[in-house]
Each structure stands twice: as structure tokens, then as C-alpha cells.
Amino acid sequence: MKIITISREFGSGGRELGKRLADLLGFDYYDSEIIYSVARECGMTAGYVERALDEHGWQSFPVTFYGTIGSASYVQASEINLLTQQKKVLEEIAALGKDCVIVGRNADVILREYNPLTIFVCADMDAKVQRCRLRAKEGENFTDRQLRRKIKQIDRMRAKTKAMLSDSEWGQRGEYDLTVNTSRWDIKRLAKAVAEFAESFWGDGE
Amino acid sequence: MKIITISREFGSGGRELGKRLADLLGFDYYDSEIIYSVARECGMTAGYVERALDEHGWQSFPVTFYGTIGSASYVQASEINLLTQQKKVLEEIAALGKDCVIVGRNADVILREYNPLTIFVCADMDAKVQRCRLRAKEGENFTDRQLRRKIKQIDRMRAKTKAMLSDSEWGQRGEYDLTVNTSRWDIKRLAKAVAEFAESFWGDGE
């Protein structure tokens, strides 16, 4: 079984790269599927789980919501439950034994025993701001400065979540087999190049 | 003109990767050639220049030697002269207009206006220690702990030199187009994969 894990900076195009990689290689693809599965198990909405696990404070979420319930420790306990459930879902995916690409969710460390090809995707700040603009929902109207702050904030939360789960430092070069900067690429062409790289890694066709 | 620059952690196999890349792509290759040229221009031995620019304190070098001459400021002035001369040599190489691979020497930032494909090569510490052992000169007899310390020391000096020349942080993921971890590869196969990646980057054969 071959697993590719994609970790990424917010706005770097890592999700699109992962999806295209899966298409090119004929692998299963997991991203929001994991969220849906966690939500089902926990009896919560997918929207809640996604914001709690993934976006960590992006837009108007946590603080006000948690404030209506109670203490900070409740918040942490709830997040830890979700992380535990997410780990279970990842292990179930791996147990299927099928080649797959998994975006986010710290799959690189959680599924380490399966020797995934671990990829980190980054980009220059300007490129990330631009990508966020292109993907913005209607009515969203952030300044560049706000977007930069939000991008940094989400990445900080991703780093923090990773630090809860392993000693491996988020985004640190030595922790991944490959780190690609998407800034000077069209993602479609980059996906093709990375797919070939992955095939060489596994020694296909040799 | 296509330029590939290779920055690397000591012991990661970056130099071998660069040499093989140049062979596969039919590019010129520069590494110690730059040292020889700097040495010629400055009227110093290549051995002196290499130690001063490249290895920064590896083995018994600088401190004792400089101690016999005088002040720390002299040391810095001499290193800055060498760096200036090295920059000149790099610009001369680029002015030739021929496709090339350049290993080290901060060519990524010095030749930035030529839009090089910038690659950073890293490896797990155990892999680096092992590689240093395989390449050790006869009679060298370091413990693993000594090797680890030396590897870290050289990388710290490389980071310091880069900080003298640019705002770009040595080894920081966003500063390079591609960062590869050699630990799980045979360098020969990795070179082939990276050569294909480079060709995709430039859009050859499309």
C-alpha cells in the first residue's frame, strides 16, 4: 500500500495538489471525507468539526461560541476528543490497505508506521494571499493585511495541533520527504511533476 | 539559460546530487571550481579559501590560525573579501549564459535575478552521520556524538554566512522551490527524479 500525506500552509494550493495527485496516480483521496466521518461518530455537524479541527479560529468561530458554554478546559477536552476520533478514522482508512492521498489531519505522523511519502506544500505570502482572494466566498472582503494575518494564524494553529500529536515540528524541512513551493508553478503541472517524483520514490517501472 | 542552485545540510548528499543532476541534464557543474577561481584572484591557496568560506571551523581551523595574526575584526574583513570575490566569480559564471548546476556558495540569493531553480537538500541526522563515516578520510576517528556536533556547527556557519548576504533564511522552506530529504533515497535514483522535476519546472517537452 502506498500512502501520500500532504501537509500544507493555508492558501498554498496543497489541497488542489493532493486532489490532482490522487487523480493522476489513481489513488483514493481523503480530505473532508475524514471530517464527515468524525462528525458522524461524534454526533456533531460536519461544519462544527471542520471549524474545530481544521480552521481553528478562522472567521468568527471559537471564542464567542465557547464563551457561551463555559471554561477553557472544556474547549480543550472537546478538541482532544475530536483529535482522538480523527486518529481512529485515519487508522481505519489505512486498514483498508488501498493506495491513497490524505490531505492534512497530521496523517504523516499518525500513520508513520505505514511509511507514507510525506509532502509539505508551501508558497510565498503574496501567492497565498492571491489564492485566498480567488477562492473567497461571495461577500468576503478582507484587506491584504487581514488575509496575511489570518493565513499566519491558521498556520500557527496547525503547528500547535501537530505539536500536541508528535515531537515532529510542523513545516520543518527534515520532517518531510519533499517540500514544494507552489509560487512559481501552475498546480496542474506541478501535480504531474510530483506524481512522477512519487513514482520514482516507489521505484515503479524500474 | 537554466540555473539550478543546490543548498544543503552538511552530510546530506547535496553535492553528489548536484553533480549527478548536472550529468543527467547535460549542464555545467560548479562547486570547487569556484573556490579555485576565488583563490587565484586573491592569491591564496585553494585549501585556505575553501576552509575559510566553506567549512567554517570544521576540524582544527580558524581560531588558532587567526590567533597568531591579531584581532577578530581582521578575520571578518578577510572573510568579507573572500565573499565579495566569490560573488564576482558567481556573476562571471552566470554571464557565460550556459545552463549550470551550482552547489553551495549562496548562489540562490546572489544569482536571484537569473531566476534559478533553487533546491535545498537535507537528511535525517542518522543518515548524515552515516554518510560522513563513509566519506571520512583515513585516520579520522570521530564518535557519533562528535560528528553530530560538527554537522550542526557547519550548518550553523552556513546559516550565518547566508544571513550576511541576504534576508533569506538558510534552510527555511519558503526560500526554495524544492526541498528534498535524501534519507530514504539512493542518491542516484533521487537525482533522476529531481532532474525530471526540473524539466517539468521549465516546461521542457510540452
Side-chain angles (χ1 to χ4, degrees), chain B residues 82-193:
Chain B
L82 289 176
L83 287 169
T84 306
Q85 188 57 41
Q86 181 171 264
K87 184 169 184 292
K88 212 183 110 200
V89 171
L90 284 170
E91 281 158 357
E92 284 167 4
I93 288 169
L96 294 175
K98 294 176 68 185
D99 299 340
C100 61
V101 174
I102 304 175
V103 172
R105 323 291 158 211
N106 294 288
D108 55 332
V109 291
I110 291 168
L111 301 181
R112 188 174 277 159
E113 66 188 290
Y114 294 91
N115 293 315
L117 175 66
T118 55
I119 301 178
F120 190 92
V121 184
C122 64
D124 303 344
M125 184 52 88
D126 288 351
K128 291 187 287 190
V129 166
Q130 175 121 2
R131 178 172 292 271
C132 287
R133 287 222 174 284
L134 289 173
R135 285 171 40 195
K137 297 190 188 100
E138 211 174 325
E140 259 183 35
N141 207 355
F142 295 114
T143 64
D144 280 5
R145 192 157 160 248
Q146 284 173 320
L147 279 174
R148 279 196 295 273
R149 211 176 53 212
K150 280 167 188 297
I151 288 168
K152 284 185 194 159
Q153 187 185 352
I154 291 171
D155 286 353
R156 260 198 307 276
M157 290 308 297
R158 287 181 177 171
K160 212 169 139 187
T161 309
K162 181 144 199 179
M164 289 170 68
L165 295 172
S166 80
D167 292 331
S168 149
E169 193 182 337
W170 185 84
Q172 187 57 34
R173 58 180 184 263
E175 305 292 345
Y176 306 90
D177 293 305
L178 188 73
T179 303
V180 287
N181 185 329
T182 62
S183 310
R184 295 166 72 198
W185 286 88
D186 164 70
I187 300 279
K188 197 173 163 185
R189 285 185 50 233
L190 176 58
K192 228 174 126 219

Side-chain angles (χ1 to χ4, degrees), chain B residues 51-102:
Chain B
R51 283 191 301 273
L53 280 178
D54 191 30
E55 301 194 330
H56 289 291
W58 174 250
Q59 296 176 346
S60 63
F61 186 61
V63 181
T64 47
F65 177 76
Y66 290 142
T68 62
I69 297 193
S71 71
S73 62
Y74 171 83
V75 175
Q76 282 163 16
S78 146
E79 284 204 353
I80 288 168
N81 280 346
L82 289 176
L83 287 169
T84 306
Q85 188 57 41
Q86 181 171 264
K87 184 169 184 292
K88 212 183 110 200
V89 171
L90 284 170
E91 281 158 357
E92 284 167 4
I93 288 169
L96 294 175
K98 294 176 68 185
D99 299 340
C100 61
V101 174
I102 304 175

Side-chain angles (χ1 to χ4, degrees), chain A residues 15 29 33 37 77 86 90 94 109 122 132 134 149 183-184 203:
Chain A
R15 190 180 297 216
Y29 173 79
E33 294 76 5
S37 190
Q86 180 170 265
L90 283 170
V109 291
C122 63
C132 286
L134 290 173
R149 210 177 53 212
S183 310
R184 297 166 72 198

Side-chain angles (χ1 to χ4, degrees), chain B residues 10 26 32 34 43 48-50 78 82 107 129 137 156:
Chain B
F10 188 81
S32 32
I34 298 167
Y48 172 82
V49 171
E50 180 162 22
S78 146
L82 289 176
V129 166
K137 297 190 188 100
R156 260 198 307 276

Side-chain angles (χ1 to χ4, degrees), chain A residues 40-112:
Chain A
R40 230 175 4 250
E41 293 290 329
C42 297
M44 298 172 178
T45 69
Y48 171 82
V49 171
E50 179 162 23
R51 284 191 301 275
L53 279 179
D54 192 29
E55 300 195 329
H56 290 291
W58 174 248
Q59 297 176 346
S60 62
F61 185 62
V63 181
T64 49
F65 177 76
Y66 289 141
T68 64
I69 297 190
S71 70
S73 62
Y74 170 82
V75 175
Q76 283 163 16
S78 148
E79 286 204 351
I80 287 167
N81 279 346
L82 289 175
L83 286 170
T84 306
Q85 190 56 42
Q86 180 170 265
K87 184 169 184 292
K88 212 183 110 199
V89 172
L90 283 170
E91 280 158 357
E92 283 165 8
I93 289 169
L96 294 175
K98 294 177 66 186
D99 299 340
C100 61
V101 174
I102 305 175
V103 173
R105 322 291 158 211
N106 293 290
D108 54 333
V109 291
I110 292 168
L111 301 181
R112 188 172 278 159

